Amino acid sequence: MEKSLKTLLAEHGFSFKKAFGQNFLTDDNLLDEIVEKSGISKDDTVLEIGPGAGALTRHISKRAKKVVCYEIDTKLKPILDEVLYNADNVEVVFSDIMKCPIEQVEKKLGGKYVMVANLPYYITTPIVMKFLEQAKNLKAMVIMVQEEVALRFSSSAGESDYGAITVGIDLRGSADIVLRVPREKFTPAPNVDSAVIKITIDENKFKGVNFEKVREVVRIAFSSRRKMLVNNLMNGYKISRDIANEILSSADISLTERGENLSAERFVVLSKIIAEKGIKS
Ligand code: SAM
């Protein structure tokens, strides 16, 4: 019989570190459901960020061709060695994923891959942004995040949760909540409920667009959420109201519009006009 997580951690004298967002999953049915929702098959390579005690890793390894994990906490090494002793398709790299250049991570993965992870909450948005902006071979991210973050990631223009990250996701693909997970499913239980979100990358979406320029416009448009777009453009680009109004008219955007109501498509149009006029921040 397999040991319980509690027994395993106690045997290794492991104590949870809040600073690393260590809330582990134990429910085998739930772990399997997460992997099932990811849709991975024996042809897939998976990147797992934060394997913890390896519970999710074991389930991924049974369904995937290869799993590469990045774990910051070296205290988990003996535990992972024990839990994954017969999982031949798993490699664990002990490193802070935020400090690893994406090219290096992708070289290790060796081709197209899916990210499946119960993400450390304290760096969810930076991780998602880093991969959306820099990853070349990412097919999808199936990630457990705080429920409120999942709602933000999957919201649409005009909704209260809509923001720069939502536009960032929309520029590369689409996001759907695939599972809700109550806080009691974790050890230790966090203060909030969670959800699994699937972000599917569509390489043909906005092909040929200057993403860097779009992201610059998005950043400026959301720099002061309560202000109208025209004011944020004036401040961000140091341009007159007349020029800002001219840009908005050319993009067919109302002069009183706010950034939170613009779809990714509109941001793309707006960024092209700003670039054509040679305006830089
Ligand atoms: N995958 C396990 C599970 O589902 O039970 C653990 C998930 S736990 C929420 C997050 C994990 O990410 C922890 O093991 C933590 O040590 C690790 N972690 C935190 N920050 C990290 C970072 N910057 N790079 C890599 N791993 C990190």
Side-chain angles (χ1 to χ4, degrees):
M1 206 180 77
E2 274 164 15
K3 283 178 202 167
S4 73
L5 179 77
K6 257 193 178 155
T7 310
L8 181 74
L9 298 180
E11 277 179 8
H12 288 274
F14 180 81
S15 39
F16 291 98
K17 290 170 203 73
K18 220 174 172 182
F20 288 158
Q22 289 178 340
N23 303 95
F24 294 173
L25 286 171
T26 49
D27 184 327
D28 269 321
N29 293 331
L30 172 64
L31 289 159
D32 207 45
E33 203 177 346
I34 295 170
V35 183
E36 197 204 311
K37 298 276 183 201
S38 73
I40 54 167
S41 71
K42 276 285 171 200
D43 297 327
D44 284 311
T45 296
V46 172
L47 166 65
E48 188 193 3
I49 295 167
L56 182 60
T57 321
R58 275 194 306 120
H59 286 264
I60 300 170
S61 85
K62 283 181 201 152
R63 293 196 194 221
K65 181 172 78 182
K66 168 174 151 183
V67 193
V68 179
C69 309
Y70 281 76
E71 173 56 61
I72 197 170
D73 189 358
T74 49
K75 288 258 167 22
L76 287 161
K77 185 170 186 321
I79 298 173
L80 284 167
D81 284 345
E82 180 176 334
V83 171
L84 303 173
Y85 79 99
N86 60 355
D88 301 333
N89 58 350
V90 179
E91 182 185 350
V92 183
V93 180
F94 285 92
S95 208
D96 178 346
I97 190 69
M98 292 310 291
K99 293 196 177 139
C100 298
I102 290 245
E103 313 85 73
Q104 204 180 300
V105 176
E106 294 203 323
K107 203 169 166 201
K108 202 166 244 323
L109 289 155
K112 297 272 176 205
Y113 64 95
V114 178
M115 181 197 291
V116 183
N118 173 11
L119 283 183
Y121 293 155
Y122 75 112
I123 45 166
T124 300
T125 301
I127 287 178
V128 171
M129 280 309 249
K130 178 171 166 151
F131 278 83
L132 283 175
E133 291 178 5
Q134 299 172 30
K136 301 253 184 317
N137 292 325
L138 180 65
K139 291 202 291 184
M141 293 190 238
V142 181
I143 47 178
M144 171 96 72
V145 299
Q146 285 177 294
E147 196 170 30
E148 57 167 301
V149 174
L151 290 171
R152 184 150 25 102
F153 284 6
S154 58
S155 67
S156 305
E159 290 177 0
S160 60
D161 290 320
Y162 191 70
I165 179 90
T166 331
V167 185
I169 292 170
D170 225 8
L171 286 169
R172 298 289 320 274
S174 56
D176 295 291
I177 294 177
V178 292
L179 200 63
R180 308 251 176 185
V181 181
R183 63 195 78 181
E184 305 79 53
K185 295 283 180 186
F186 296 87
T187 305
N191 297 326
V192 289
D193 293 324
S194 293
V196 177
I197 189 150
K198 181 168 186 176
I199 300 172
T200 309
I201 306 293
D202 176 357
E203 281 176 0
N204 296 315
K205 202 172 181 186
F206 302 117
K207 228 177 175 169
V209 158
N210 179 348
F211 285 109
E212 227 168 277
K213 191 68 186 175
V214 186
R215 283 195 283 267
E216 173 193 288
V217 177
V218 171
R219 183 176 44 77
I220 286 172
F222 283 99
S223 57
S224 183
R225 227 188 138 86
R226 312 187 99 185
K227 282 191 181 153
M228 287 190 297
L229 196 49
V230 66
N231 293 315
N232 282 335
L233 291 180
M234 284 164 61
N235 290 339
Y237 286 113
K238 310 273 177 277
I239 52 175
S240 68
R241 182 171 296 275
D242 284 348
I243 296 195
N245 280 342
E246 195 185 307
I247 292 169
L248 292 178
S249 300
S250 310
D252 211 12
I253 296 170
S254 156
L255 303 186
T256 56
E257 194 56 283
R258 286 184 160 72
E260 62 197 21
N261 292 322
L262 287 198
S263 64
E265 282 85 356
R266 279 295 93 198
F267 273 112
V268 169
V269 172
L270 189 58
S271 70
K272 271 189 192 150
I273 292 166
I274 292 172
E276 274 162 19
K277 288 187 179 292
I279 296 170
K280 295 186 180 116
S281 69

